[in-house]
Amino acid sequence: TLTFEATSTCVSIGQYAFRYCKAKISFGGANNEIIRKYAFENYEYALEFNFNKVSLIENNAFENVVFSNPNLVFEENVTIGVSAFAKTNVKQVVNNTGEVYLGGYCFGSCSDLVAAEFAKLVVIGNTAFQRTGIKSIVIPSTTVTLESNAFSYCDSLEEVIIEEGLTKIGFG
């Protein structure tokens, strides 16, 4: 087994870089900003990753990954692509500072996801939270689009608070 530890100078991880990888990897101290599509899809071990400086996570980047810390904290403006975290063990996602754009099914089938908090959420893509365990969510006044089926099959969802500002709600 190969062990790889990223340095603090690593700012971008290319597409398919660690897809189906069997090496143990630590990105705990890295200043990653861009994670390309399928970068860690189906990574085999519990992944340690620091999301603080990440600004772009492309489609399927972490699909079917287990995180050693399933509480994701973002501190920058961030765009999260389609299925970026689908089928992972994410429990909580927070960004209290930057703008957030959520692609379709980005947290789809994350049954452990019970909390999401965004100060400046702009777009919620279709099926973004489908089949999650989310219990409540505040859609802030910065949100302009809530696409179709964003919360479909969320059996634990008890409360959605929509602040003034939303201009488009999809069907479903």
Side-chain angles (χ1 to χ4, degrees):
T1 300
L2 170 69
T3 300
F4 175 81
E5 186 163 335
T7 66
S8 61
T9 58
C10 180
V11 294
S12 179
I13 299 171
Q15 62 186 22
Y16 306 101
F18 298 100
R19 189 179 193 199
Y20 293 96
C21 184
K22 296 183 183 205
K24 291 183 181 179
I25 303 170
S26 173
F27 283 92
N31 288 318
N32 303 292
E33 295 173 11
I34 299 171
I35 315 300
R36 297 291 182 198
K37 64 183 181 179
Y38 301 101
F40 292 93
E41 182 195 28
N42 291 302
Y43 176 71
E44 193 167 294
Y45 294 98
L47 183 62
E48 178 184 338
F49 205 94
N50 181 342
F51 289 97
N52 291 351
K53 303 296 180 194
V54 173
S55 60
L56 175 63
I57 301 171
E58 290 186 351
N59 300 354
N60 308 84
F62 293 97
E63 186 175 3
N64 207 28
V65 167
V66 173
F67 292 98
S68 58
N69 179 359
N71 300 311
L72 309 183
V73 178
F74 298 92
E75 295 178 355
E76 305 288 332
N77 293 344
V78 64
T79 299
I80 300 175
V82 173
S83 298
F85 291 98
K87 304 174 195 164
T88 64
N89 67 326
V90 170
K91 290 184 179 180
Q92 178 181 19
V93 59
V94 175
N95 186 328
N96 287 320
T97 54
E99 289 185 347
V100 179
Y101 297 80
L102 300 178
Y105 204 66
C106 61
F107 295 106
S109 294
C110 291
S111 57
D112 294 339
L113 179 60
V114 294
E117 183 180 331
F118 307 102
K120 299 176 186 172
L121 183 59
V122 180
V123 173
I124 303 173
N126 63 322
T127 66
F129 291 95
Q130 185 179 55
R131 299 187 191 282
T132 64
I134 199 157
K135 296 179 181 183
S136 70
I137 189 164
V138 174
I139 299 177
S141 61
T142 56
T143 308
V144 294
T145 303
L146 173 62
E147 292 185 359
S148 62
N149 297 300
F151 298 97
S152 60
Y153 302 102
C154 290
D155 297 338
S156 300
L157 187 61
E158 297 173 0
E159 179 180 48
V160 177
I161 298 171
I162 301 175
E163 295 180 352
E164 206 171 309
L166 193 62
T167 58
K168 178 186 172 196
I169 299 177
F171 66 91

